[in-house]
C-alpha cells in the first residue's frame, strides 16, 4: 500500500503557536499490542531484580538489612551518589557546548572534532583508569617530565578528584551523542522566530528543546558512575559497588551481595523517577511545514580559535593521553619481543557480539521508547523505569542472575550466543531507549494520525513514516549499545559460548596479571575497531541536511 | 544507511553461521565430547599447558576463563546443573567456598598423594597445584637489606610511617589477615591493622601496583606475593635491579597459600578430569608453573626457580588452608578498623 512519503509537507499546522512549552493533553492509552510488547520487555529487564529478591529472601530480613546497611555502608552509598552527581554535572557541562560547537558552528575542522570528541566512548574505563594512573600517578609519565621543570609532586590522582575526572572524561560522550542527534532534529525556524523577536535563542529556545536529550544522556552518565567498578577501584575511590564486589570476591556471600544490590536498584529507581519529574508535557517536534532545512551555522568570530583550543584540550585529555599511554606500552612490549596478543577471532567476536547486542537492544527498546514518548502515563513510567534495572547493577550481578535463571529456565540456551545477546539487552537497554525516545519526541504525532487517516496500518505507519524520521535516534541507539558491548566484560566472560573471545576479554586476560604490554595490542585494536563505525556515523550524520 | 545495514546483515549472518557450525548442545553436561574447565587463572598461563595435555592424552579440553571469584559464584549459582568438569582457581578461598557447598567430588589418591597435606583440603575435595608466599618487596636503593624487618608485624614502628604499601582489597592480603587471626587471635590482628592504619600504610589496588610503586621509589616497602617481582622483571628487567623480595623469618612468617583445582561432582567425565589434575601435578606440569609463573611447585621432585629459597625453608606455620575461607570475619575486622 502506498502512503504519502513526505507527510510533513502535507500537514497543516495545528492550532496554537509552535512554542516548545505548550502543554498537551495527557497521553492517549496505548494500543494493546504496544502495551503487551513493552510489558514483555519490562519483565525481561526485571529478571535480575527477580533473582536478587530470590537470593535476598529467607532468614530474618530485618537482621540482614541491618547488617548490610551499617553506617559505613550508608556512608559509602552517599559517597557514590555524590560522585555520580559530580560526574553528571561535569559531563553535561562539557558535552552540551561540545555538541553545539561540532553541530552548529563554523568551528575549524568541525567534522573531525565531531568524531574525536565522541571517541572517548570507546575506551573501556578499566583501560582508561590504568592509563591515567600510569600518566598522572606518583612517579608516572607526567611526573617524570615535570620533574625536569622542578615540579616535585603532582596533586594525587587517587580518590574523589581522580575518579571524578576520569569518569567524566569517559562518560561525557553519552550526553554528547544524544544531544547531538537531538540538535540535528531541531526545527531551526523556532530559533529564527525567537531571534526575530529579539531573544537570545540558544539559552531561551534551543536549550529547553534539548532537555529530553540532555536528561537521557545525563541519566546514563549518573547510573554509569553509580555502578562503575573498574575506574573507581583503580583510582582507589571507596564506592558502594566495591562493597558489593567484596561480598562476592572474598566471602562468596551471595545473600548480602543481593541485598546491597537491591539497595542500588532502589537508589537507581529514585534517580530515574527524579529525572521523570523534570519532564514536562512540552512538545519537542516541529509543528508546521517547511522546516526541514539545515540549521544556520553560527559564526564564532573571534571565538573560533579559543573554541578550537578547547576542543583540542578535551580531546587531548580524554583521547590522546589514554591512547598514547597504551600505544607506549604497545611499543615497549613489541621492543621486548611480546607477541601482538590478540587474534582476528577476538576482533570478529567483538564485532559480532556488539552487532547482535546493538540490533537486539534497538528492537527491545522500540516499544518502550514509543510507549514513553507517545503514551506517557503510569504504565509507561513503570515500563521505562524497569528498563533501567539491569543498567544500574554491576555487570557481574546481572551476569550471575542470568546464570541462575538460565540454568533453570532455559538450559538449552545456557552459555550460547542467544543468551549472551539477551544479557547485553538487559544490561544496556536504557541507552537505546533514551536515544530513541529523544528522537521520537521530535516527530509530531499528527503525522502518524495523518498517515493512519489515509488508510495505513499501524505497522506501515511505523515502517514508512516514523522509522525514517527517527533514524538519527535509532543510529545513535545502535552506536551507543554497539560501543558499550565492545567494552563489556563480566557477562561476556560468564555467559558466552565456551571458547568465545572478544578484544575486551583479551585485554582483561592480559591486564589481570598486569602484563600491560600484552594488553596493549587488543586494547588498541578495540579502540580502532570501535572508531570506524563511530566515524562513519558522525560523518554521515553531518552530511545529511 | 543501506551500506550500514548490509554490513550488519553480514555480521549477523556470520554470527549465526558460526553458531551452526558447532554441534548442537543439549542440556548442560550431557553428551559433550570434550572436558569443560572453568579457569580463574589467565589464558596466557593456562592455554599452553592445556594444549600439552590435549596432545599427550588425546582428550579435548574447552576452557572458560574468568575471574576466580566470579567463576566460583557461577558454580554456586549453577549448582547441580553446571556444565563444568574442573575448576581451576587462583586461591584456596574460592575452592573452599565451592567445596563447602558439596559441589566437588572426592579426588583419588593418585592426585591427592602427590601434594603435602598442608597444601590440599583435608576432605580430599580439592588440591593445590602451585604455591605462593606472602613476602615484603623492598627498594634496594632506599632500604639496605639489613634494615628490612623479619616480620610483617614489625612494620608498625614510627620508622615505617607512610612508607608501607599494602592492598587491603586483595584476596591474598585478606587471606593473610585471616591467617593472622587464626594464628594469634582477633585482638592481635585488630591491633596490627589499627597500628598499620595509624602508621599511614598506603593502600594500592593490587600486588602489581605495589611492586611497581616500590621499584619506582614511590614507597620503600610493600606486602605482596613472592612471584610478582619475578614476573614483572621479565617484562621490565630494570625492576629486579631496583627491588628485591624479603621472606619473613619471624612469626607469623611468610604464609604459603595455593592456587588449586577440584573436580565437579556433576561431571560426566570424571576420569578425564582426574587425568587432567594428574597431568598438572606431574613433573612436566609442575615444572611449567615453576618456570612460567615463578610459583612454587608443590610436588617434591620439582625444584622452584633458582632465585627462590626452598619451600621447606620458608617460615610458614602449619595452617589448614581450608580454614582461610572464613573471610566474613576478616572483612568485618577490616571494616571495623577502617582499613576497608
Amino acid at each position: 500500500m502506498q502512503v504519502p512519503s513526505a507527510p510533513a509537507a502535507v500537514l497543516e499546522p495545528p492550532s496554537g503557536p509552535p512554542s516548545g512549552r505548550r502543554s498537551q493533553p495527557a497521553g492517549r492509552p496505548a494500543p494493546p499490542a504496544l502495551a503487551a510488547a513493552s510489558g514483555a520487555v519490562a519483565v525481561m529487564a526485571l529478571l535480575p531484580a527477580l533473582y536478587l529478591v530470590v537470593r535476598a529472601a529467607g532468614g530474618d530480613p530485618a537482621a540482614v538489612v541491618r547488617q548490610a546497611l551499617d553506617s559505613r555502608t550508608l556512608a559509602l552509598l552517599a559517597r557514590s551518589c555524590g560522585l555520580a552527581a559530580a560526574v553528571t554535572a561535569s559531563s553535561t557541562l562539557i558535552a552540551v557546548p561540545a555538541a553545539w560547537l561540532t553541530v552548529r558552528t563554523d568551528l575549524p575542522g568541525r567534522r573531525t572534532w565531531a568524531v574525536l570528541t565522541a571517541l572517548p566512548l570507546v575506551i573501556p574505563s578499566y583501560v582508561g583508569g590504568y592509563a591515567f594512573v600510569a600518566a598522572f600517578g606518583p612517579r608516572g609519565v607526567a611526573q617524570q617530565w615535570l620533574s625536569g621543570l622542578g615540579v616535585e609532586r603532582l596533586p594525587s590522582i587517587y580518590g574523589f578528584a581522580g575518579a571524578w575526572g576520569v569518569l567524566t572524561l569517559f562518560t561525557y560522550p553519552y550526553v554528547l551523542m544524544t544531544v547531538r542527534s537531538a540538535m540535528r532534529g531541531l526545527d531551526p525556524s523556532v530559533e529564527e522566530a525567537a531571534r526575530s523577536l529579539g531573544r537570545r535563542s540558544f539559552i531561551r529556545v534551543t536549550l529547553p528543546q534539548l532537555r529530553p536529550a540532555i536528561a537521557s544522556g545525563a541519566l546514563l552518565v549518573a547510573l554509569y558512575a553509580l555502578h562503575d567498578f573498574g575506574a573507581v577501584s583503580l583510582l582507589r575511590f571507596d564506592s558502594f559497588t566495591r562493597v558489593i564486589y567484596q561480598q562476592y570476591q572474598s566471602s562468596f556471600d551471595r545473600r548480602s551481595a543481593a541485598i546491597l544490590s537491591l539497595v542500588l536498584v532502589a537508589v537507581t529507581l529514585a534517580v530515574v523517577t527524579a529525572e521523570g519529574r523534570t519532564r514536562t508535557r512540552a512538545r519537542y517536534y516541529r509543528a508546521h511545514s517547511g522546516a526541514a532545512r539545515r540549521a544556520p551555522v553560527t559564526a564564532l568570530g573571534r571565538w573560533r580559535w579559543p573554541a578550537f583550543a578547547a576542543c583540542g584540550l578535551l580531546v587531548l585529555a580524554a583521547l590522546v593521553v589514554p591512547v598514547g599511554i597504551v600505544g607506549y606500552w604497545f611499543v615497549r612490549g613489541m621492543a621486548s619481543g611480546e607477541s601482538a596478543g590478540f587474534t582476528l577471532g577476538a576482533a570478529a567476536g567483538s564485532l559480532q557480539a556488539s552487532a547482535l547486542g546493538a540490533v537486539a537492544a534497538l528492537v527491545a527498546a522500540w516499544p518502550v521508547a514509543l510507549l514513553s514518548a507517545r503514551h506517557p502515563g503510569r504504565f509507561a513510567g513503570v515500563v521505562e523505569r524497569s528498563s533501567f534495572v539491569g543498567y544500574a547493577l554491576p555487570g557481574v550481578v546481572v551476569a550471575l542472575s542470568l546464570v541462575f535463571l538460565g540454568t533453570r529456565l532455559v538450559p538449552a540456551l545456557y552459555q550460547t550466543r542467544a543468551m549472551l545477546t539477551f544479557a547485553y539487552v538487559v544490561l544496556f537497554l536504557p541507552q537505546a531507549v533514551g536515544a530513541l525516545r529523544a528522537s521520537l519526541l521530535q516527530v509530531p504525532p499528527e503525522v502518524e494520525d495523518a498517515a493512519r487517516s489515509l488508510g495505513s496500518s499501524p505497522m506501515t505507519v511505523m515502517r514508512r513514516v516514523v522509522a525514517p524520521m527517527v533514524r538519527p535516534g535509532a543510529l545513535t541507539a545502535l552506536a551507543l549499545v554497539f560501543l558499550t558491548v565492545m567494552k563489556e566484560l563480566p557477562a561476556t566472560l560468564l555467559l558466552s559460548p565456551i571458547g568465545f573471545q572478544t578484544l575486551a576479554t583479551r585485554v582483561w586476560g592480559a591486564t589481570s596479571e598486569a602484563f600491560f604490554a600484552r594488553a596493549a595490542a587488543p586494547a588498541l585494536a578495540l579502540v580502532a575497531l570501535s572508531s570506524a563505525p563511530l566515524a562513519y556515523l558522525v560523518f554521515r550524520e553531518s552530511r545529511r541536511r | 544507511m543501506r551500506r550500514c545495514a548490509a554490513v550488519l546483515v553480514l555480521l549477523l549472518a556470520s554470527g549465526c553461521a558460526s553458531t551452526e557450525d558447532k554441534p548442537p548442545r543439549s542440556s548442560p553436561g550431557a553428551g559433550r565430547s570434550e572436558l569443560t574447565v572453568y579457569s580463574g587463572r589467565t589464558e596466557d598461563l593456562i592455554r599452553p599447558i592445556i594444549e600439552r595435555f590435549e596432545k599427550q592424552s588425546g582428550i579435548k579440553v574447552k576452557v572458560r576463563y574468568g575471574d576466580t571469584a566470579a567463576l566460583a559464584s557461577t558454580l554456586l549459582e549453577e549448582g547441580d546443573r553446571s556444565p563444568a568438569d574442573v575448576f581451576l582457581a587462583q586461591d584456596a578461598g574460592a575452592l573452599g567456598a565451592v567445596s563447602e557447598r558439596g559441589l566437588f567430588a572426592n579426588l583419588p589418591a593418585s592426585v591427592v598423594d602427590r601434594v603435602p597435606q598442608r597444601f590440599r583440603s583435608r576432605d580430599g575435595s580439592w588440591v593445590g597445584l602451585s604455591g605462593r608466599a606472602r613476602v615484603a618487596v623492598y627498594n634496594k636503593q632506599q632500604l639496605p637489606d639489613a634494615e628490612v624487618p623479619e616480620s610483617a608485624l614489625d612494620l608498625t614502628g614510627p620508622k615505617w610511617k607512610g612508607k608501607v604499601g599494602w592492598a587491603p582489597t586483595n584476596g591474598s592480603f585478606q587471606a593473610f589477615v585471616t591467617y593472622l587471626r587464626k594464628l594469634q587471635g582477633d585482638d592481635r590482628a585488630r591491633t596490627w591493622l589499627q597500628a598499620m592504619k595509624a602508621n599511614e600504610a598506603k593502600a594500592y589496588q593490587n600486588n602489581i601496583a605495589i611492586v611497581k610503586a616500590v621499584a619506582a621509589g614511590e614507597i620503600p616497602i610493600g606486602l605482596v606475593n613472592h612471584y610478582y617481582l619475578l614476573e614483572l622483571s621479565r617484562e621490565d628487567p630494570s625492576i629486579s635491579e631496583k627491588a628485591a623480595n624479603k621472606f619473613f623469618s619471624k612469626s607469623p612468617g611468610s604464609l604459603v597459600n595455593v592456587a588449586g583445582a577440584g573436580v565437579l561432582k556433576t561431571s560426566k567425565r570424571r576420569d578425564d578430569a582426574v587425568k587432567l589434575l594428574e597431568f598438572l601435578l606431574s613433573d612436566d606440569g609442575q615444572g611449567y608453573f615453576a618456570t612460567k609463573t615463578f610459583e612454587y611447585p608443590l610436588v617434591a621432585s620439582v625444584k622452584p626457580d633458582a632465585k627462590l629459597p626452598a619451600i621447606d625453608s620458608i617460615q610458614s606455620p602449619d595452617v589448614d588452608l581450608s580454614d582461610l575461607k572464613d573471610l566474613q570475619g576478616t572483612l568485618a575486622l577490616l571494616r571495623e578498623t577502617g582499613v576497608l
Side-chain angles (χ1 to χ4, degrees):
Chain A
M1 152 179 284
Q2 281 295 312
V3 173
S5 57
V10 300
L11 266 186
E12 284 302 306
S15 55
S19 122
R21 311 281 300 179
R22 196 196 64 168
S23 69
Q24 65 181 29
R28 295 170 289 183
L34 179 60
S38 48
V41 174
V43 168
M44 178 185 91
L46 282 171
L47 286 178
L50 173 77
Y51 155 82
L52 291 175
V53 171
V54 169
R55 272 279 159 266
D60 175 13
V64 183
V65 169
R66 259 200 314 280
Q67 178 208 331
L69 287 184
D70 57 15
S71 58
R72 189 168 156 69
T73 310
L74 284 177
L76 285 177
L77 186 59
R79 277 168 67 92
S80 284
C81 291
L83 179 70
V87 171
T88 309
S90 52
S91 290
T92 309
L93 285 177
I94 290 175
V96 175
W100 180 70
L101 282 174
T102 52
V103 172
R104 301 286 292 271
T105 69
D106 61 350
L107 179 75
R110 184 161 60 114
R111 278 197 210 160
T112 310
W113 288 122
V115 177
L116 292 177
T117 49
L119 267 183
L121 189 64
V122 311
I123 297 173
S125 73
Y126 45 87
V127 172
Y130 263 121
F132 268 85
V133 170
F136 299 108
R139 314 264 167 160
V141 176
Q143 174 71 75
Q144 280 165 22
W145 287 348
L146 290 174
S147 65
L149 305 171
V151 180
E152 279 308 311
R153 273 177 75 96
L154 282 172
S156 172
I157 189 176
Y158 298 120
F160 182 86
W164 180 23
V166 168
L167 280 174
T168 299
L169 289 177
F170 297 126
T171 56
Y172 80 83
Y174 287 116
V175 185
L176 183 76
M177 298 276 285
T178 45
V179 169
R180 210 140 63 181
S181 88
M183 225 172 235
R184 291 211 178 82
L186 284 186
D187 182 353
S189 66
V190 177
E191 289 168 49
E192 288 158 13
R195 265 200 299 277
S196 75
L197 295 170
R199 298 277 190 91
R200 295 186 60 130
S201 67
F202 188 78
I203 305 277
R204 297 292 302 274
V205 179
T206 313
L207 213 50
Q209 295 264 332
L210 291 175
R211 184 156 55 181
I214 295 174
S216 78
L219 194 57
L220 293 178
V221 170
L223 298 180
Y224 186 98
L226 211 52
H227 81 221
D228 175 72
F229 178 69
V232 293
S233 61
L234 284 168
L235 293 157
R236 293 195 224 148
F237 177 78
D238 232 346
S239 74
F240 190 68
T241 356
R242 256 182 60 177
V243 187
I244 297 179
Y245 265 76
Q246 260 160 32
Q247 298 303 327
Y248 285 118
Q249 244 154 13
S250 28
S251 52
F252 305 95
D253 183 351
R254 292 168 294 158
R255 183 138 182 261
S256 300
I259 290 164
L260 292 172
S261 299
L262 282 172
V263 172
L264 201 55
V265 171
V267 171
T268 302
L269 292 180
V271 172
V272 177
T273 308
E275 191 265 343
R277 290 265 159 79
T278 70
R279 289 178 189 174
T280 58
R281 292 200 178 278
R283 299 183 341 181
Y284 299 97
Y285 45 86
R286 63 170 67 94
H288 53 93
S289 60
R293 65 169 169 273
R294 194 187 285 271
V297 166
T298 304
L300 288 171
R302 63 197 159 96
W303 289 104
R304 257 183 115 200
W305 294 106
F308 186 87
C311 287
L313 265 181
L314 179 62
V315 169
L316 178 73
L319 192 65
V320 176
V321 167
V323 172
I325 293 279
V326 176
Y328 167 70
W329 286 332
F330 178 69
V331 171
R332 202 181 57 179
M334 287 291 116
S336 65
E338 281 289 347
S339 61
F342 79 98
T343 57
L344 286 178
S350 279
L351 288 177
Q352 239 173 50
S354 304
L356 285 169
V359 171
L362 183 66
V363 170
W366 187 269
V368 179
L370 198 62
L371 185 77
S372 162
R374 286 287 180 267
H375 311 280
R378 194 165 291 165
F379 179 63
V382 170
V383 166
E384 213 192 344
R385 263 165 252 166
S386 310
S387 73
F388 278 93
V389 166
Y391 188 73
L393 292 167
V396 71
V397 177
V398 174
L400 286 173
S401 74
L402 295 180
V403 167
F404 175 80
L405 297 167
T407 46
R408 278 156 187 81
L409 302 179
V410 281
L413 290 181
Y414 184 56
Q415 295 180 341
T416 60
R417 241 163 269 239
M419 176 123 188
L420 184 63
T421 306
F422 184 82
Y424 293 146
V425 174
V426 172
L427 279 165
F428 306 127
L429 185 61
Q431 296 185 341
V433 172
L436 261 187
R437 180 180 179 276
S439 213
L440 272 170
L441 286 174
Q442 295 180 332
V443 178
E446 288 84 354
V447 178
E448 293 161 44
D449 297 343
R452 291 290 298 277
S453 72
L454 291 166
S456 300
S457 72
M459 281 309 280
T460 313
V461 174
M462 271 304 129
R463 191 166 53 83
R464 298 288 307 268
V465 179
V466 180
M469 294 179 84
V470 297
R471 198 164 55 180
L475 282 174
T476 304
L478 281 175
L480 282 175
V481 179
F482 183 93
L483 297 174
T484 314
V485 174
M486 287 289 280
K487 308 185 285 188
E488 207 282 336
L489 263 183
T492 311
L493 288 172
L494 297 184
L495 296 170
S496 63
I498 199 161
F500 184 79
Q501 279 199 339
T502 66
L503 290 169
T505 64
R506 287 306 301 148
V507 173
W508 172 84
T511 48
S512 53
E513 297 276 339
F515 294 116
F516 298 135
R518 226 173 287 164
L524 288 176
L526 181 66
V527 173
L529 263 187
S530 313
S531 312
L534 187 61
Y536 173 74
L537 182 74
V538 171
F539 267 89
R540 225 194 129 269
E541 279 297 300
S542 53
R543 268 204 311 273
R544 271 182 72 235
R545 288 207 275 119
Chain B
M1 185 71 192
R2 207 166 286 158
R3 228 177 317 158
C4 183
V7 171
L8 269 178
V9 166
L10 266 179
L11 274 170
L12 297 183
S14 69
C16 298
S18 51
T19 332
E20 279 154 18
D21 287 345
K22 306 225 167 71
R25 291 180 57 129
S26 48
S27 66
R32 275 167 308 107
S33 59
E34 61 288 279
L35 197 62
T36 302
V37 175
Y38 280 9
S39 172
R41 311 208 66 185
T42 59
E43 182 168 2
D44 286 339
L45 171 65
I46 293 300
R47 190 163 40 176
I49 190 74
I50 292 283
E51 280 171 1
R52 235 188 269 180
F53 170 72
E54 285 182 314
K55 211 172 274 172
Q56 227 175 67
S57 65
I59 297 166
K60 277 254 160 245
V61 185
K62 287 255 181 187
V63 189
R64 171 175 303 280
Y65 297 96
D67 172 67
T68 291
L71 286 175
S73 300
T74 300
L75 286 170
L76 299 183
E77 293 299 359
E78 288 170 346
D80 56 9
R81 293 167 169 86
S82 179
D85 300 302
V86 175
F87 179 35
L88 293 180
Q90 190 86 266
D91 60 82
L95 293 165
V98 175
S99 165
E100 194 183 21
R101 286 279 303 268
L103 297 176
F104 279 144
N106 282 336
L107 295 169
S110 64
V111 171
V112 176
D113 289 350
R114 295 280 291 165
V115 176
Q117 165 85 61
R118 64 181 175 130
F119 298 131
R120 56 180 153 92
S121 83
R122 253 176 221 158
D123 60 5
S125 63
W126 58 264
V127 65
L129 295 175
S130 55
R132 52 267 302 268
R134 288 297 294 177
V135 299
V137 62
Y138 65 97
N139 186 304
K140 289 194 273 189
Q141 281 137 11
Q142 295 176 345
L143 203 59
D145 186 55
E147 282 180 35
V148 184
E150 292 297 330
S151 164
L153 301 187
D154 294 342
L155 289 168
T156 53
K159 183 180 167 190
W160 304 108
K161 199 171 178 77
K163 292 191 169 165
V164 186
W166 65 357
T169 55
N170 182 264
S172 303
F173 173 81
Q174 292 172 357
F176 168 75
V177 175
T178 314
Y179 157 74
L180 187 61
R181 286 171 53 222
K182 296 275 171 213
L183 205 68
Q184 306 197 352
D186 278 13
D187 289 341
R188 183 72 190 86
R190 183 183 293 110
T191 317
W192 181 69
L193 288 170
Q194 282 165 343
M196 287 293 284
K197 171 116 176 124
N199 221 9
E200 293 166 18
K202 287 192 177 168
Y204 284 83
Q205 159 72 8
N206 54 31
N207 286 304
I208 293 144
I210 294 177
V211 174
K212 290 200 160 185
V214 167
E218 190 180 323
I219 39 165
I221 189 166
L223 296 172
V224 295
N225 287 347
H226 79 269
Y227 51 88
Y228 289 103
L229 175 66
L230 292 89
E231 275 183 346
L232 288 171
S233 303
R234 187 158 48 194
E235 190 178 308
D236 179 0
S238 72
I239 287 184
S240 61
E241 287 157 26
K242 292 173 194 148
N245 273 337
K246 169 81 178 186
F247 286 76
F248 295 119
S249 65
K250 279 194 209 142
S251 176
S254 283
L255 167 71
V256 179
N257 207 335
V258 299
V263 174
L264 276 299
K265 218 179 231 172
T266 46
S267 169
K268 302 258 189 318
R269 300 173 58 97
R270 241 187 252 184
D271 292 347
D272 289 351
V274 166
K275 274 187 201 143
L276 175 62
L277 295 202
E278 282 169 356
F279 174 76
L280 295 174
L281 287 169
S282 68
D283 288 7
D284 195 12
Q286 288 286 290
Y288 175 79
F289 285 113
T291 52
K292 177 101 183 194
T293 65
F294 304 105
E295 287 171 293
Y296 278 99
L298 298 181
V299 168
S301 52
V302 183
K303 296 280 160 279
D305 185 85
K307 291 186 277 295
L308 294 171
I311 194 165
D312 293 331
S313 72
I314 301 172
Q315 292 295 315
S316 176
D318 197 3
V319 55
D320 187 350
L321 292 174
S322 298
D323 287 348
L324 299 187
K325 72 177 183 296
D326 166 34
L327 273 160
Q328 200 60 273
T330 298
L331 280 181
L333 196 62
L334 289 173
R335 288 220 218 143
E336 177 201 320
T337 50
V339 171
L340 269 185

